[in-house]
Amino acid sequence: MTPQIDQFLAAKAFGVAGASTNRDKYGNKVLRCYQLNGRKAVPINPRAEAIEGIPCVADVASLPDEVTSLSVITPPKITEEVVAAAIARGIKNIWMQPGAESPAAVAACKAAGINVIADGSCLLVVLGYRDH
């Protein structure tokens, strides 16, 4: 693992932007991956009460203070909005899952001094996720 990934995974809790109630979507699989690895994760979804039994927050600004790392599983245009909100919220680490990356979002992270992972690395691969 890279130092960026080690730093990301050292967080006490993780936000999941793009968390989905649909178990076939990556936004759901990333959330379950955190659960299976015994990590605290907070799903961000403005239209769901809870996902996989975990209460949702409506947006990045509503994340609890202990969340310092954010997984992003959104279309690139939305990723840019998520990153702007994460910068305002003081998030320290952002991992853009493959397909969520945006050059503007990556540049915004770097300019804000955020540890950003957007090189095609996949959290599901790094943590060894298996669908159950």
Side-chain angles (χ1 to χ4, degrees), residues 2-121:
T2 68
Q4 286 98 332
I5 290 174
D6 286 340
Q7 182 180 326
F8 180 93
L9 292 174
K12 289 189 178 83
F14 303 85
V16 181
S20 174
T21 55
N22 181 338
R23 296 194 101 200
D24 294 329
K25 298 215 176 241
Y26 283 104
N28 182 284
K29 293 180 186 208
V30 167
L31 183 66
R32 282 189 284 143
C33 183
Y34 283 126
Q35 284 181 305
L36 292 167
N37 281 276
R39 296 170 185 265
K40 180 173 182 181
V42 180
I44 303 167
N45 184 317
R47 291 179 297 285
E49 293 279 318
I51 299 175
E52 299 301 322
I54 307 170
C56 293
V57 296
D59 51 39
V60 172
S62 303
L63 286 168
D65 290 343
E66 65 185 334
V67 173
T68 56
S69 289
L70 182 64
S71 284
V72 182
I73 313 96
T74 55
K77 270 286 182 224
I78 304 296
T79 299
E80 293 169 15
E81 296 169 22
V82 168
V83 164
I87 290 167
R89 167 70 184 59
I91 295 291
K92 307 268 185 267
N93 308 285
I94 294 179
W95 193 331
M96 297 175 200
Q97 284 293 109
E101 309 99 327
S102 145
V106 171
C109 287
K110 289 182 176 169
I114 290 173
N115 172 39
V116 61
I117 303 159
D119 59 1
S121 298

